Amino acid sequence: MKAVTTIFDIDPARLRFTARTAIAACLALAIGTLIGLDHPQWAAMTVWITALPTRGQRLERSFARVLGTIVGALAGVGLMVLTGNDPLGIIIGLTIWLGLCAGTGNLLTGPASYTSLLTGYSAAMVALLGYGHDTSIWMLAIDRMATACLGAAVGTIVALVFSPKPQSVDLSRRVKTIMQICLDHVATGEGDGNERSRLILEIAALDESLDIVSAGSLGTRRKARDIRSLLSALSELLLDTRSPREEDAGEPLAANGDQDDLSKRLREMAANLETDFPHRAAHLRAMIPLWQRANRTAAAIGPVSERPVPQHRDWIGARYAALRSMSAVATTGLVWIATGWQLGPYMVMGAAIMTSVFSTFPNPGLQMRWVVAGAAGGVCAAVLSHLVIMPMAGSVMEAALLIMPFTLVGMLPMAHRRVGLAGMDYNLIYLLMMNPHVPANPEPGHVLLQAFGVMLGPVTAYLAFVALPMDTGKRLDFVIRLMVHELTSMAKGAFDKPERYRHWRMRIYHRLVMLVRWSEKSGSGGGFAISGGMGALQLGNSLYAIRCMMTESMIDAQSKRALRATLLSIAHLSRKPERVVHAFTKAAEKLQATYPQDAARLTETAALVAANQDFFRRAG
């Protein structure tokens, strides 16, 4: 067995996982057929869709699947009722609904994101499959909800019974270790940018792993905010560029130090910096309760933070996703209406599903190539089954059993190291076309036309991703663009209130994590993101300080004009960052005689902007 998996580049551990999933899918298909569901293959599709490596992730995905299906099915029914089963009304309604759900799904994360996406295309499935059929639309919606519940239940039970126990994760040690290393870096006064980048990468990796560790428990997921609060504070400490590190800020702590040791060390470092650097001393003292809560949470999932860390929301990517889904559904829908093609709903449904599901993937355009290949394989298997195998069935249960061999075959491509994504779509497209019923004597022309209609969905979705491309580089640009947009708003006074300014500072550290993640995946390197993030943070701090200075009555008119020029220059940050550098340099010269500390801040800001001009230009 080992030799076979090596030759065919199949991951043995993943093969065991996909084999369990394939068996569960067949079991869900059999149960759905026995209890008389109209579309039992949807239950098998749910098993494949909710298949995730860990039990907690599967539980979350199953719950999201059921919730999203119920809401989406009700939305589909409502759309049919409101439009009076008119195809133009259905397409208009689905275009708006899919755009809303796809956009929202790209703003949210985790199970909430998947629920939103599923809500969109579930409505499309109910409305499109219900069009032109005598079956009650309510019965179709109930059938859709029942199959989702059945598939989620069967898949979860099989996973809980047969999946290996998850390996324990020493989260407490990871949190403590990253805390100690960061404090060592600050205490020893190291200015190594590569080391700082490595630490930020460690923080980003730990932040990402929190979603896996807390999967399956809403309470645990909420409590993970404690750790994220500490990670945000550590990021702020690493990026604090306003003052140099002090060599006597504290000796490196032994690796086996406990909570009291780290709390004591934070107090000692704060005391050493209090006289010369009160800003940093205050920050270190504020980290003490964050560390204590995070340590308890990591060790035993302790108390919940009162305030969650503000999260990055990809508003630009969400608009792209909404526009892409709307365009694909509208285009295929108009083709269906114009031609009156009986199988047109399959084409629209495929476009709706694919543009929604893959909109949150890092490189959906590249991955859609595998999707189209897998869909082609699924269509071929379905055509072969319809024309050759299904006519042998003498009962509905026999028809379901005859569907299963090609379903079991689907575990092999899914276990392949390179074509796993194609394997998933092979399974889903095959099952989408395979509704067990008798007598099964389809006309070859009808089967081929149905296959053509189903294939048009993934192809249209692929073309939509080509027309509105998305990859890790663009996602990096979107984060930078949002940061620059906030800096522009800050220059105009949108963050003048202290609470708004604090909210911005907290959110920029989460955006830094996103910057590092996408920068690494796009090949730009973590150093590019760290340096640019430092520049954006320092620029924001300076803008807030300038806005505060502008309200002071004692500042002279000449200085006010210079400061006003710096605020106006931010409008050119993404196109001509050198103008920002020039404006801050000139303002520093004007303030040097009367406000030397503020002049030093502006000079430092000008230097950081000058060093990161390529970073800010990516927002243009």
Side-chain angles (χ1 to χ4, degrees), residues 406-428:
F406 276 115
T407 303
L408 293 172
V409 168
M411 68 183 180
L412 296 176
M414 274 205 67
H416 197 277
R417 289 182 173 88
R418 290 193 298 273
V419 302
L421 191 58
M424 171 64 81
D425 280 271
Y426 161 85
N427 291 308
L428 296 182

Side-chain angles (χ1 to χ4, degrees), residues 185-507:
H185 179 76
V186 173
T188 56
E190 296 179 3
D192 185 1
N194 292 330
E195 174 65 11
R196 182 167 49 203
S197 298
R198 188 189 68 80
L199 292 175
I200 295 293
L201 283 171
E202 289 282 341
I203 291 175
L206 180 56
D207 179 89
E208 193 169 9
S209 68
L210 288 177
D211 289 330
I212 299 175
V213 173
S214 61
S217 172
L218 294 177
T220 303
R221 186 175 288 278
R222 288 195 300 268
K223 292 169 185 176
R225 296 171 182 170
D226 286 330
I227 301 176
R228 284 198 165 96
S229 296
L230 177 66
L231 297 182
S232 176
L234 284 174
S235 301
E236 182 177 5
L237 188 64
L238 290 172
L239 292 185
D240 184 6
T241 60
R242 288 190 55 191
S243 54
R245 270 63 177 170
E246 285 290 287
E247 294 184 1
D248 62 345
E251 294 297 325
L253 189 67
N256 61 351
D258 59 19
Q259 174 173 314
D260 291 337
D261 291 331
L262 281 173
S263 300
K264 180 181 178 182
R265 182 180 184 185
L266 286 169
R267 293 190 185 93
E268 291 175 350
M269 292 175 68
N272 291 334
L273 295 172
E274 182 64 45
T275 302
D276 297 326
F277 309 107
H279 171 76
R280 175 165 300 180
H283 182 73
L284 289 168
R285 282 194 296 271
M287 286 181 63
I288 295 173
L290 291 176
W291 155 247
Q292 292 171 344
R293 285 200 303 269
N295 187 50
R296 288 196 300 268
T297 297
I301 305 299
V304 182
S305 296
E306 295 180 0
R307 287 188 177 184
V309 177
Q311 299 288 297
H312 162 70
R313 304 296 182 193
D314 188 3
W315 290 98
I316 303 174
R319 290 198 294 269
Y320 266 65
L323 182 59
R324 189 184 301 113
S325 291
M326 294 173 72
S327 300
V329 172
T331 301
T332 52
L334 290 176
V335 171
W336 168 41
I337 294 171
T339 60
W341 187 23
Q342 184 182 1
L343 297 175
Y346 284 93
M347 173 180 61
V348 182
M349 183 172 59
I353 294 173
M354 298 299 179
T355 53
S356 297
V357 171
F358 291 97
S359 63
T360 58
F361 278 49
N363 292 291
L366 178 62
Q367 290 149 342
M368 278 299 299
R369 300 176 188 176
W370 290 108
V371 170
V372 172
V379 163
C380 292
V383 170
L384 180 62
S385 294
H386 275 300
L387 297 181
V388 179
I389 300 176
M390 294 296 287
M392 303 178 187
S395 67
V396 176
M397 193 62 208
E398 287 182 9
L401 292 173
L402 290 173
I403 291 173
M404 292 181 186
F406 276 115
T407 303
L408 293 172
V409 168
M411 68 183 180
L412 296 176
M414 274 205 67
H416 197 277
R417 289 182 173 88
R418 290 193 298 273
V419 302
L421 191 58
M424 171 64 81
D425 280 271
Y426 161 85
N427 291 308
L428 296 182
I429 294 298
Y430 171 71
L431 288 169
L432 179 66
M433 295 181 62
M434 299 305 300
N435 189 0
H437 62 276
V438 290
N441 296 304
E443 297 180 0
H446 178 81
V447 173
L448 292 175
L449 280 175
Q450 184 187 31
F452 178 70
V454 170
M455 272 303 301
L456 280 179
V459 170
T460 303
Y462 173 70
L463 294 176
F465 280 106
V466 170
L468 289 172
M470 181 63 65
D471 55 32
T472 52
K474 280 190 172 294
R475 294 191 186 279
L476 173 63
D477 292 342
F478 290 166
V479 179
I480 297 174
R481 193 179 301 176
L482 288 169
M483 294 173 73
V484 170
H485 172 74
E486 287 191 343
L487 291 171
T488 304
S489 299
M490 183 176 290
K492 297 177 181 178
F495 294 87
D496 283 356
K497 293 182 178 179
E499 59 271 18
R500 288 274 292 154
Y501 171 65
R502 286 194 297 269
H503 188 275
W504 171 80
R505 280 183 65 91
M506 293 179 69
R507 184 166 56 197

Side-chain angles (χ1 to χ4, degrees), residues 25-44:
C26 292
L27 181 60
L29 175 63
I31 295 174
T33 303
L34 285 174
I35 64 178
L37 295 176
D38 291 334
H39 299 84
Q41 77 275 19
W42 289 355

Side-chain angles (χ1 to χ4, degrees), residues 80 84-88 90 124-135 137 140 336 340-342 345:
M80 295 289 286
N85 210 19
D86 176 64
L88 181 59
I90 292 173
M125 292 183 71
V126 170
L128 293 169
L129 292 179
Y131 173 77
H133 290 271
D134 296 332
T135 306
I137 187 64
L140 182 64
W336 168 41
W341 187 23
Q342 184 182 1

